[in-house]
Amino acid sequence: MVACKVLRHMIELGFVFFRALSFSLLLVAELGVPFANDPIRGAKNLVRLLYKHESWASVNTLRDSGLNLEDKWVYLLSQRSRVVMHALGDYSRRNSLAGVSSSAAKGAEFFEVDIFLDESGRLRCHHGPEYPEPYQAGDCEFALLLSTLPQNSFLILDVKTNFVTTANEVLKELSQKEMSESRSKVIFQLYLPSHLRWFVEAGRRHPDVLRNKPIVTLYRTHSYAPFVSLASPDFVGAITYPWSRLDMKSLESFLFKVNKPLLTHAISDCNALMDAIDSGVVGIYGPNTLLDCHEFSQYNKLSSDHDGG
């Protein structure tokens, strides 16, 4: 009898130890960096883990999403690295239609814009956190921006206000009949597991509206850990990670594990641009001045010659 009780207690202690070990490993994966190195970010990630349940491990439950998404933009990046027009490319006029024009004139194909839902319900091209100036006719807003983009280009959305509320407004605008030809341009950029869950649910409800595979950015995680989770869901097109945090020594192994294209931000000089390309990065967020880099022009020429273009 005593032996049975001892055995039972040992089993219970084993379960407690296993759960504690599992949770500790999850903490390491989620925090990604010791508190001593970055205590503020570590604390934020801990709160997110404990109270918001934003574990990247949950992404694996979305692997069988049932979504049938286009990946033309992924294919283009896999053929030749591109510069993504960060904030529409013109840093002197960020998130402006004028920035689109100057970037398009240099041959840009990929654009990234900050989307801000203002108090009047307009989807504005604005970073924040402060509210934009009162809207005036001709200001950059989502629908007008889409109509301004060059043909066969793509627009990456970086949502700056409440994600679900803003993303639902984007979805509503894209659902308009007159937007049907523009839907294939839009690429959502997702920050958190909850964003991925929203995307899957919205994609199942509106398969004719959400056309493209999304990008997942690991900007808020400060960790490579989510790479492993993101290796499974087939609906994710690519991963974005900050250039300042990329560890070149381990980058190759992570790219091999996740088997998805990698984009990075933000780069502003020619040497860093070519370093990123040489490291296997296929999309580099930056200003349109990067398109003027001599080394990048040579790279484009050699890539075109190799492809027979």
Side-chain angles (χ1 to χ4, degrees):
M1 189 70 177
V2 174
C4 290
K5 288 183 178 181
V6 171
L7 181 60
R8 186 181 65 187
H9 286 308
M10 290 180 64
I11 293 174
E12 290 175 351
L13 286 173
F15 276 116
V16 170
F17 175 78
F18 178 75
R19 292 180 64 182
L21 178 61
S22 300
F23 186 71
S24 298
L25 292 174
L26 183 59
L27 277 178
V28 171
E30 289 290 333
L31 297 179
V33 62
F35 276 101
N37 290 354
D38 195 339
I40 294 178
R41 184 177 295 275
K44 286 182 178 179
N45 283 355
L46 180 59
V47 170
R48 183 178 298 126
L49 174 65
L50 293 177
Y51 296 103
K52 295 187 178 181
H53 307 289
E54 293 286 13
S55 169
W56 280 98
S58 66
V59 171
N60 279 319
T61 63
L62 302 174
R63 68 178 68 185
D64 299 319
S65 66
L67 301 181
N68 184 24
L69 299 168
E70 298 175 10
D71 58 0
K72 178 183 176 182
W73 69 269
V74 182
Y75 174 77
L76 289 175
L77 290 178
S78 69
Q79 296 301 299
R80 172 170 57 85
S81 295
R82 262 78 167 182
V83 177
V84 177
M85 298 296 98
H86 187 218
L88 299 178
D90 189 338
Y91 276 12
S92 66
R93 299 171 291 184
R94 291 173 184 260
N95 293 305
S96 68
L97 296 178
V100 174
S101 299
S102 62
S103 299
K106 295 184 177 187
E109 302 165 88
F110 286 81
F111 297 80
E112 183 258 7
V113 66
D114 299 309
I115 290 293
F116 194 102
L117 183 64
D118 72 10
E119 293 175 322
S120 66
R122 290 182 182 273
L123 291 167
R124 307 279 297 277
C125 310
H126 180 70
H127 187 284
E130 75 287 349
Y131 270 83
E133 296 293 324
Y135 175 79
Q136 296 182 3
D139 284 351
C140 184
E141 56 178 331
F142 179 60
L144 181 58
L145 172 60
L146 276 177
S147 67
T148 306
L149 289 175
Q151 191 175 8
N152 299 321
S153 62
F154 294 94
L155 180 65
I156 299 169
L157 304 184
D158 190 352
V159 174
K160 293 303 182 184
T161 39
N162 178 272
F163 180 82
V164 172
T165 303
T166 308
N168 282 332
E169 285 300 314
V170 170
L171 199 63
K172 188 186 299 182
E173 289 212 15
L174 287 175
S175 298
Q176 302 298 317
K177 185 177 180 180
E178 61 269 21
M179 299 284 275
S180 59
E181 294 185 5
S182 298
R183 295 168 189 165
S184 59
K185 293 178 179 289
V186 177
I187 302 169
F188 269 91
Q189 182 168 263
L190 312 175
Y191 280 87
L192 299 171
S194 58
H195 299 175
L196 274 79
R197 288 191 286 274
W198 173 88
F199 187 90
V200 170
E201 292 168 4
R204 288 169 178 166
R205 294 196 310 270
H206 306 281
D208 57 329
V209 177
L210 286 183
R211 299 276 185 82
N212 287 313
K213 290 186 174 183
I215 293 171
V216 171
T217 175
L218 303 182
Y219 179 79
R220 297 185 188 177
T221 67
H222 214 90
S223 170
Y224 277 127
F227 268 101
V228 179
S229 295
L230 290 166
S232 298
D234 58 354
F235 67 91
V236 174
I239 309 297
T240 293
Y241 202 73
W243 176 248
S244 60
R245 298 186 213 155
L246 281 173
D247 175 8
M248 294 302 148
K249 293 181 180 179
S250 57
L251 175 59
E252 185 176 350
S253 64
F254 278 108
L255 285 175
F256 175 78
K257 288 178 182 178
V258 78
N259 193 29
K260 293 186 187 299
L262 177 67
L263 293 82
T264 192
H265 65 81
I267 286 177
S268 299
D269 68 88
C270 297
N271 290 334
L273 169 64
M274 298 315 297
D275 286 344
I277 292 174
D278 291 341
S279 301
V281 177
V282 299
I284 300 91
Y285 295 59
N288 59 29
T289 52
L290 291 178
L291 298 174
D292 300 325
C293 295
H294 174 72
E295 299 89 341
F296 186 65
S297 298
Q298 291 296 108
Y299 164 79
N300 279 335
K301 185 178 184 302
L302 289 173
S303 298
S304 297
D305 291 344
H306 181 267
D307 295 336

